[in-house]
Amino acid sequence: MFVRLWVRSFHIYDLLLTIGLVTLIVYLCLPFRFASHYEYIDGSRIEQALLPQVTRNVSLQEVFECTYSEVIAANRFVYNLAHYHEEVQLGAEIRPGGEFRPEECQAKYSTAIIVPYRQREEQLHAFLTYMHNYLPQQLIHYRIFLVEQFDHKPFNRAMLFNIGAQVAAEYGFPCLILHDVDLLPLNSGQIYACTERPRHMCSALDHWRFRLPYRGLFGGVVAINTVQFQQINGMSNLYHGWGGEDDDLFERLKALNIDICRFAMEFSEYTMLKHKPERPNANRVALLRAATLRQHSDGLNSLVYKEVERRMHSLFTHILVET
């Protein structure tokens, strides 16, 4: 009798476990788990939402301003078109340090693209060639800052963004785009300039089946005004290893009542290049709970690092640092 009851209980437990696993698989595979409904800026309002700001050397140009309505209106999927080449096309003159500005008109937007980096040579080559073919056609002024962690400590992505933001401010850039090296834009109309509100640019990522996993997601590729980044004291320097720093950034914005925005999905599609997963940060949950408590003491004002080297490469400004 006891054996029968034990066998029956075992079968019930096995059945419940199977149902649970099936439910989990369905939840992970079906799109209804994503944040399918969220506010966004549609194509007709993008140019109005962009914030015209340039560095001093661009403002001194004595030519007529560039126009962007045609770039936005001609938005198209470009990953398999002429924007992607094995080498940077010479039609776009990239200056030393990875800087470009159109000569035929005065750009209305100056953008520092900050890329945290360590030991991803193949992805870096793909990123630089793709972006330098993609961005000049937007008629913006931009410069790519590659901030490389030279030491053997766990990778500190947020600290590298803070360092890049400080260096970009030295060059007078009013707009920062915090950009992972493994993400590439797929739509030509995703203008690499700041909006009045900080913008989550890669809300339609192929890794997430072109859906937004949750509304508070604010990582991957983010555009934020330099003044706003300084206002929130940048990002936390305490996230050693993968995970948590993007959610911490979102909490900092919320604490100061700064809303974020996104462009419509057809402007916000990105692809993620394949790579090995990073080592998770074991303290990320505890750090995130206290994010706003540390905001005024942990960030740009507590940034300590050693700049090993700064070099102007042909496709990027290289900042080599020890954290």
Side-chain angles (χ1 to χ4, degrees):
M1 182 68 179
F2 174 78
V3 174
R4 288 181 181 176
L5 289 174
W6 182 84
V7 171
R8 180 180 295 178
S9 299
F10 177 80
H11 284 309
I12 293 174
Y13 173 79
D14 191 47
L15 178 61
L16 291 174
L17 182 61
T18 302
I19 292 173
L21 288 173
V22 170
T23 303
L24 179 61
I25 292 171
V26 170
Y27 175 79
L28 291 173
C29 292
L30 293 182
F32 60 70
R33 73 186 183 93
F34 296 95
S36 56
H37 301 289
Y38 57 90
E39 292 184 3
Y40 58 80
I41 299 171
D42 62 36
S44 64
R45 297 182 294 138
I46 285 178
E47 188 170 12
Q48 182 181 356
L50 295 174
L51 197 60
Q53 290 179 310
V54 293
T55 57
R56 188 171 183 273
N57 61 338
V58 173
S59 66
L60 295 176
Q61 283 183 281
E62 295 183 359
V63 292
F64 63 89
E65 284 190 336
C66 303
T67 58
Y68 299 87
S69 55
E70 292 184 4
V71 177
I72 296 169
N75 178 59
R76 64 197 186 283
F77 185 86
V78 295
Y79 191 70
N80 293 322
L81 299 181
H83 294 79
Y84 190 82
H85 302 279
E86 292 184 358
E87 300 295 338
V88 175
Q89 299 300 289
L90 298 178
E93 185 180 348
I94 310 300
R95 301 169 183 241
E99 183 176 13
F100 170 84
R101 68 171 186 254
E103 297 294 341
E104 65 273 22
C105 57
Q106 178 181 315
K108 290 174 63 176
Y109 314 107
S110 289
T111 301
I113 300 169
I114 302 172
V115 184
Y117 175 78
R118 184 167 67 183
Q119 296 176 343
R120 288 193 179 181
E121 291 82 2
E122 185 176 345
Q123 290 183 355
L124 178 60
H125 175 75
F127 177 85
L128 292 171
T129 54
Y130 185 90
M131 296 304 290
H132 279 306
N133 286 313
Y134 172 89
L135 288 170
Q137 308 197 36
Q138 294 194 346
L139 301 178
I140 64 168
H141 168 224
Y142 71 87
R143 187 177 191 135
I144 295 179
F145 293 87
L146 186 80
V147 189
E148 180 177 2
Q149 186 171 334
F150 185 62
D151 55 67
H152 297 288
K153 300 175 186 177
F155 191 62
N156 194 323
R157 176 174 173 270
M159 182 183 286
L160 299 183
F161 277 139
N162 283 341
I163 295 169
Q166 283 197 344
V167 174
E170 293 176 19
Y171 288 83
F173 279 92
C175 173
L176 310 173
I177 292 187
L178 314 180
H179 208 304
D180 286 346
V181 73
D182 59 351
L183 297 183
L184 300 177
L186 303 181
N187 312 115
S188 63
Q190 175 63 285
I191 302 294
Y192 268 59
C194 281
T195 40
E196 292 190 8
R197 293 178 291 166
R199 183 165 97 253
H200 183 219
M201 298 178 65
C202 58
S203 55
L205 183 60
D206 61 355
H207 182 71
W208 298 112
R209 299 180 62 193
F210 297 103
R211 298 290 190 273
L212 184 66
Y214 57 97
R215 295 183 187 181
L217 180 62
F218 197 64
V221 186
V222 164
I224 183 169
N225 188 279
T226 300
V227 173
Q228 290 174 325
F229 194 74
Q230 294 169 344
Q231 183 182 355
I232 63 172
N233 197 22
M235 299 179 70
S236 170
N237 297 310
L238 301 181
Y239 287 85
H240 302 278
W242 179 85
E245 70 278 1
D246 293 330
D247 293 321
D248 190 295
L249 173 60
F250 183 69
E251 292 299 322
R252 288 177 177 232
L253 292 167
K254 277 174 52 180
L256 295 184
N257 296 315
I258 300 176
D259 294 328
I260 68 169
C261 68
R262 297 180 174 94
F263 287 171
M265 188 182 74
E266 60 267 25
F267 291 88
S268 306
E269 294 174 323
Y270 278 71
T271 186
M272 177 183 287
L273 302 176
K274 293 181 180 179
H275 60 86
K276 294 180 180 179
E278 297 286 347
R279 182 187 303 173
N281 178 357
N283 298 321
R284 62 189 184 277
V285 176
L287 287 169
L288 189 56
R289 288 197 187 107
T292 56
L293 297 177
R294 301 188 323 273
Q295 180 163 354
H296 300 293
S297 59
D298 168 26
L300 292 174
N301 63 1
S302 65
L303 186 59
V304 178
Y305 68 98
K306 177 184 177 182
E307 184 173 316
V308 178
E309 184 180 44
R310 184 181 304 190
R311 182 180 296 181
M312 302 299 132
H313 285 264
S314 59
L315 298 181
F316 59 95
T317 299
H318 189 200
I319 315 297
L320 190 64
V321 301
E322 292 181 354
T323 60

